Amino acid sequence: MRSLAGRVLAVELVIVLLLVATAVIAMVLQARSSTVGSARQVTRGVAESFAHAPGLVQAIDGPDPSAVLQPQAEAVRRATGVDSIVVFNTSFVQLTSPYPDYVGKPYSPPPSVARDVLPKLLAGQTVTFDLDQPDYRSIATAVPVFGPDGRPEAVVAVNITVGRVNSVVGASLPVLLGGAAAAVALSAVATVLASRRLLRQTRGLGPTELARMYEHHDAVLHAVREGVLIISGDGRLLLANDEARRLLDLPPDAEHQPVAELGLDPETVALLASAEEVTDGVHQAGDRSLAVNKRPTAPYGGQPGSVVTLRDSTELHQLTDRVAAAGQRQRLLYEAGMRIGRTLDMTRTSEELAEVAVGRFADTVAVDLLEAVTRGEEPAGAEPELRRAALRGVPDGAPAGGSVTLAEGSAQARCLESGRAVLDSAGEPSVIAVPLLVRADALGLAEFRRTADSPPFVPDDLLLAEELAARAAVSIDNARRYTREHGTAVALQHSLLPRHLPPRTALDLAYRYLPAHAGVGGDWFDVIALPGLRTALVVGDVVGHGIAAAVAMGRLRTAIRNFSALDLPPDEVLGRLDELVSQLDEEAGATAITGSTCLYAVYDPTSGICTLARAGHLGPALVGPDGTVEYPEVPASPPLGVGGHPFETVELPIAEGSRLVLFTDGLIADRGHDLDQGLERLRSALTGGADRSPDELCETVTRAVLAPHPADDVALLVAGTARLAPDQVAEWDVPIDPAAVSRVRSACVEQLDAWGLEEIAFGAELILSELITNAIRYGAPPVRVRLLRDGTELVCEVSDGSSTAPHLRWAATTDEGGRGIFLVAQLAHRWGTRYEAGGKVIWSEQTLP
């Protein structure tokens, strides 16, 4: 008994005896309780079965119920083993009884039954109760019997005496005692074995040696750099080593106190008090990140509760957070590379930068560009005035498109002055201002803001902000260069196009030229004055975009004007233009102009005929005087420079009051529709347009037909046609006789006097005399003279059947002739020769006073 094992043996034997005695008592009580419960179930089952047996109600209402029911009750009693089955009528007369002498006699229930049982029976309830009388103690169940009218007619009572219950328990008592004795013997043996094992495990050590071992264990427990807590099943702190006290900031008297009263935060209390296991969990306790493991102690021999280990992993999690933040930054930069700079538009690029950063890096993003940059110019250093190109997130300050003035000393002003990102997290909101730098020049700045609801910016965020700004700056600079080139191309294009349309006889003209949204193309138009009050209407489309296309367009427009000055038919003009395009591309060693298209039309106001030819271009639209729209058939020919097919002309009679509409394919081309659909949209817009002026018709067409952001240039030319009045034209046939010259000349002078043109009649007479004389002398019949007058000029035309044309030369002083054409050139504003199918026409123009 001196050793620890001996003492444990004595204590365990005493405990075993107490436990066995307690178990025997408990088992006896449990057996009794179980037997009583079984008796209550048996009496209830027999009583309910007998009460609901078929024919019971009829037997009770019969002339001699006892004679019928007594044998049945006794048979059931013997079969079920109950002590009695008694049937009472409503007068408490015993209709059956295990004692025949009591049959037919009234029964006086004890006061407890009358008080507690009878009311429930009358209410229709089945009642199981203990009947305790001086000479009779039993367990009984009473069941009411109802008649057809639902009223109680009798009661069936079944009893089992308590003596029988006790006899059952007594019969099992020897078994219980025998088992208890066996348990004591086995427990004693087990205790001896356990004591011997404990003796071996303690190696025969006494309490002193064990205390010394505990001291060593305690020293190690408190020396480790890992917190250890033991929590009891009722939520009390049983043990906490020094590291756990430090990590959780526990009070000195924390042990044996409820965890909820240690002043810990609710999340930590819930973690320690819960019964759930935790494996390598991460818990935030104040400013520390703790790695937590938690296991129950009971499965490992301890008392119900749990053991918790804590390890400070704040630095590890900070490193992990930095790695995760770096990953998020990398993903943000990748998305920025995919989304920023998809268009050559400075405003859209600025909006893309703001859209990428809002919600993932900042709450509000504003992008401000220098005024010069927004115009496509080179940045001219820091400017006090900027233009807000984009604003996303919480609205603050100037809206997009508005002017922004930088306050002196602000983060935005300092970043532009220094050319470096500036972090201002002293107040709310937290701000990072980053210059948009390209080749050390600032295009503007990007401003990132975080509201009070978000964590403020830290110095590490400057690198991400600078990277986002750098990616956006490159794209903005590309867009700026494109804007500058686009502006230059637009300016060049407009300089090469007609600045205004010249007034033309019998034509009301209007036009629209709209450069492409994405870049200037080579669409063009022109109105060229031709002899005989005729007018050439031209539209064309040069392949490509940008300055090269604008230059090519200028070359073609100049060439077609030169060819028009030769007064050639439309097919010959396009033929010569086709040859010129081929030569230019051969010289350049490329096909820069080949594929360009052109529509050339010549309108004659005297006849009302428009002669047209086209090279790969769309034909015109014609709005009749009644408002109907048609697309006249014009022979198709390949584009300029392709060759291999002659150009053809068509003569189109045009009624007075019509509208001739020439256009390029940019007007009707749309990625979502084909050309036929575009032509139908144009037809709808032009229908009923005869009562509108050409300018109004241009406005209607561009609004109804043109796409919001056309991908190609649009050139639109609308001509309202009229006819030269008959009294403005005079014609004469001239015989091949020199004597006829004077007669025709006199008739012409009379016509000029009738028109009120006496001031120029002398010069016109000399011109006509020379031209008619040359036609008779050198030409061939028929010879005709025609005078045309409009509000600004007089046209004299002499035609003959010969193709030989006069030419201007300087006559010597000794020459007798050769001065006629020189005289014509001096008296006329312009003169020239036009070839026709049946000969030529020599014409002159004089400006009216």
Side-chain angles (χ1 to χ4, degrees):
M1 292 297 179
R2 294 180 180 178
S3 67
L4 179 61
R7 294 175 184 178
V8 170
L9 174 60
V11 173
E12 287 187 352
L13 286 175
V14 173
I15 292 174
V16 167
L17 289 174
L18 291 176
L19 290 176
V20 170
T22 302
V24 170
I25 296 172
M27 292 176 66
V28 171
L29 294 177
Q30 183 178 1
R32 179 177 177 81
S33 176
S34 176
T35 305
V36 170
S38 299
R40 295 173 70 90
Q41 292 178 1
V42 169
T43 59
R44 187 180 184 93
V46 173
E48 289 182 344
S49 299
F50 197 87
H52 296 96
L56 179 62
V57 176
Q58 291 81 359
I60 293 173
D61 294 337
D64 190 0
S66 297
V68 178
L69 298 178
Q70 178 66 17
Q72 297 178 1
E74 285 301 304
V76 173
R77 182 181 66 80
R78 288 191 295 271
T80 60
V82 298
D83 290 322
S84 68
I85 298 178
V86 181
V87 180
F88 301 96
N89 60 14
T90 56
S91 300
F92 284 94
V93 175
Q94 302 180 54
L95 302 181
T96 66
S97 176
Y99 307 103
D101 294 340
Y102 290 173
V103 175
K105 295 181 180 181
Y107 172 73
S108 297
S112 60
V113 174
R115 182 183 66 251
D116 299 331
V117 177
L118 288 179
K120 295 180 180 179
L121 291 172
L122 294 176
Q125 299 180 15
T126 298
V127 183
T128 301
F129 56 94
D130 295 333
L131 184 61
D132 191 1
Q133 294 179 337
D135 299 329
Y136 187 79
R137 296 179 62 196
S138 66
I139 299 171
T141 297
V143 179
V145 179
F146 298 94
D149 58 355
R151 300 181 63 184
E153 294 188 359
V155 175
V156 176
V158 178
N159 294 348
I160 296 178
T161 61
V162 174
R164 291 189 61 188
V165 173
N166 292 336
S167 65
V168 173
V169 176
S172 61
L173 187 58
V175 177
L176 294 175
L177 293 176
V184 171
L186 291 175
S187 299
V189 173
T191 302
V192 171
L193 294 176
S195 299
R196 292 180 63 184
R197 184 174 182 181
L198 178 61
L199 182 63
R200 291 194 305 269
Q201 290 178 344
T202 58
R203 299 180 184 273
L205 297 176
T208 302
E209 290 81 2
L210 290 177
R212 185 180 299 112
M213 291 182 63
Y214 173 77
E215 291 174 357
H216 294 166
H217 175 269
D218 190 59
V220 173
L221 178 67
H222 292 287
V224 295
R225 301 301 296 171
E226 187 166 341
V228 179
L229 300 169
I230 298 179
I231 313 297
S232 65
D234 59 354
R236 292 180 177 274
L237 177 63
L238 299 181
L239 182 144
N241 68 349
D242 294 342
E243 182 68 6
R245 292 175 182 273
R246 184 184 70 83
L247 293 177
L248 297 180
D249 196 17
L250 296 175
D253 58 345
E255 291 183 349
H256 305 293
Q257 291 191 23
V259 174
E261 298 178 5
L262 298 179
L264 302 175
D265 58 272
E267 291 77 10
T268 303
V269 172
L271 172 68
L272 298 179
S274 68
E276 297 181 1
E277 295 186 18
V278 178
T279 301
D280 293 333
V282 177
H283 178 73
Q284 195 70 27
D287 57 351
R288 292 189 178 96
S289 294
L290 303 179
V292 181
N293 285 277
K294 184 179 179 184
R295 293 291 184 274
T297 57
Y300 307 100
Q303 296 296 321
S306 58
V307 59
V308 181
T309 61
L310 306 173
R311 186 173 65 256
D312 192 351
S313 59
T314 303
E315 294 182 357
L316 177 62
H317 283 287
Q318 289 176 349
L319 177 60
T320 304
D321 292 341
R322 287 196 294 269
V323 171
Q328 292 178 354
R329 292 190 181 102
Q330 194 66 27
R331 289 191 294 272
L332 181 59
L333 290 176
Y334 174 77
E335 184 175 349
M338 297 296 293
R339 293 179 55 184
I340 297 176
R342 293 178 295 179
T343 63
L344 289 173
D345 184 278
M346 287 185 286
T347 299
R348 183 57 194 149
T349 302
S350 301
E351 291 173 349
E352 290 168 347
L353 169 60
E355 291 168 357
V356 167
V358 163
R360 300 177 60 182
F361 180 66
D363 297 320
T364 303
V365 178
V367 180
D368 303 326
L369 301 179
L370 302 179
E371 289 279 1
V373 172
T374 61
R375 297 190 297 268
E377 301 172 5
E378 292 287 341
E383 297 180 9
E385 294 287 338
L386 295 95
R387 183 69 55 184
R388 178 142 293 175
L391 177 64
R392 289 293 185 275
V394 180
D396 185 17
S403 178
V404 178
T405 301
L406 299 182
E408 185 176 357
S410 63
Q412 295 83 352
R414 283 183 285 136
C415 98
L416 278 184
E417 291 172 0
S418 63
R420 303 184 64 181
V422 174
L423 169 61
D424 186 1
S425 58
E428 294 182 359
S430 179
V431 177
I432 290 180
V434 189
L436 301 172
L437 296 178
V438 175
R439 298 177 302 279
D441 293 327
L443 305 177
L445 63 94
E447 177 185 317
F448 304 93
R449 290 176 177 258
R450 287 183 181 174
T451 62
D453 297 332
S454 301
F457 288 113
V458 296
D460 288 346
D461 293 325
L462 286 173
L463 296 176
L464 178 58
E466 289 175 340
E467 183 66 23
L468 289 173
R471 293 177 183 240
V474 173
S475 298
I476 291 174
D477 188 56
N478 291 336
R480 178 193 64 80
R481 291 170 175 270
Y482 170 78
T483 300
R484 181 180 62 185
E485 181 179 343
H486 179 75
T488 303
V490 170
L492 177 62
Q493 182 87 334
H494 281 288
S495 68
L496 296 175
L497 290 172
R499 295 182 179 273
H500 55 81
L501 298 182
R504 296 303 302 151
T505 302
L507 285 179
D508 184 8
L509 300 170
Y511 74 95
R512 291 291 186 275
Y513 172 74
L514 301 173
H517 182 73
V520 174
D523 291 15
W524 56 284
F525 68 94
D526 207 347
V527 176
I528 304 172
L530 297 179
L533 303 182
R534 295 170 303 132
T535 302
L537 306 174
V538 189
V539 291
D541 187 358
V542 176
V543 295
H545 291 83
I547 295 178
V551 171
M553 177 274 293
R555 299 174 76 177
L556 291 185
R557 179 170 178 252
T558 301
I560 206 167
R561 273 188 164 269
N562 291 333
F563 295 146
S564 299
L566 300 176
D567 206 359
L568 301 174
D571 55 338
E572 292 190 26
V573 171
L574 293 182
R576 297 199 178 193
L577 193 62
D578 179 72
E579 293 178 0
L580 175 64
V581 168
S582 299
Q583 292 175 4
L584 291 175
D585 281 346
E586 287 178 2
E587 294 173 1
T591 57
I593 309 178
T594 296
S596 301
T597 64
C598 183
L599 173 64
Y600 188 87
V602 176
Y603 179 70
D604 187 349
T606 60
S607 62
I609 293 177
C610 183
T611 306
L612 303 96
R614 61 176 176 142
H617 202 86
L618 294 171
L622 181 62
V623 184
D626 57 354
T628 59
V629 180
E630 62 174 324
Y631 293 105
E633 288 290 339
V634 180
S637 299
L640 299 172
V642 175
H645 193 280
F647 298 98
E648 300 181 39
T649 61
V650 63
E651 293 187 350
L652 180 66
I654 298 180
E656 190 171 3
S658 299
R659 301 288 185 265
L660 184 63
V661 181
L662 285 69
F663 54 91
T664 58
D665 58 359
L667 177 67
I668 60 174
D670 189 353
R671 293 181 180 178
H673 305 86
D674 56 23
L675 288 178
D676 291 338
Q677 292 175 313
L679 291 173
E680 286 303 316
R681 293 199 308 272
L682 178 60
R683 183 192 298 273
S684 300
L686 292 174
T687 299
D691 57 348
R692 281 173 283 180
S693 68
D695 190 72
E696 293 173 342
L697 204 56
C698 285
E699 191 68 22
T700 300
V701 168
T702 53
R703 287 185 178 181
V705 181
L706 194 62
H709 299 290
D712 195 6
D713 287 14
V714 175
L716 174 66
L717 181 62
V718 178
T721 61
R723 298 284 294 275
L724 199 64
D727 59 356
Q728 293 179 287
V729 180
E731 293 183 283
W732 296 271
D733 291 327
V734 181
I736 301 299
D737 183 3
V741 174
S742 60
R743 296 195 303 269
V744 174
R745 185 176 56 203
S746 299
C748 291
V749 172
E750 292 177 0
Q751 183 63 54
L752 294 177
D753 292 340
W755 284 341
L757 302 178
E758 295 86 355
E759 295 183 15
I760 64 171
F762 177 74
E765 182 180 1
L766 292 178
I767 291 172
L768 287 171
S769 177
E770 181 61 29
L771 295 180
I772 295 172
T773 301
N774 283 342
I776 294 175
R777 181 177 298 178
Y778 304 109
V783 177
R784 292 182 60 82
V785 175
R786 185 172 70 166
L787 297 181
L788 305 175
R789 179 187 67 88
D790 68 353
T792 60
E793 61 184 359
L794 173 68
V795 178
C796 301
E797 294 180 346
V798 177
S799 62
D800 67 81
S802 171
S803 59
T804 302
H807 60 278
L808 180 65
R809 67 183 182 88
W810 295 94
T813 56
T814 58
D815 290 342
E816 295 183 359
R819 297 179 178 83
I821 297 301
F822 176 79
L823 181 63
V824 170
Q826 294 297 314
L827 295 175
H829 174 63
R830 290 194 311 165
W831 75 280
T833 303
R834 178 173 72 252
Y835 293 94
E836 295 180 341
K840 65 178 183 296
V841 176
I842 302 176
W843 55 269
S844 68
E845 294 179 356
Q846 291 177 273
T847 303
L848 298 182

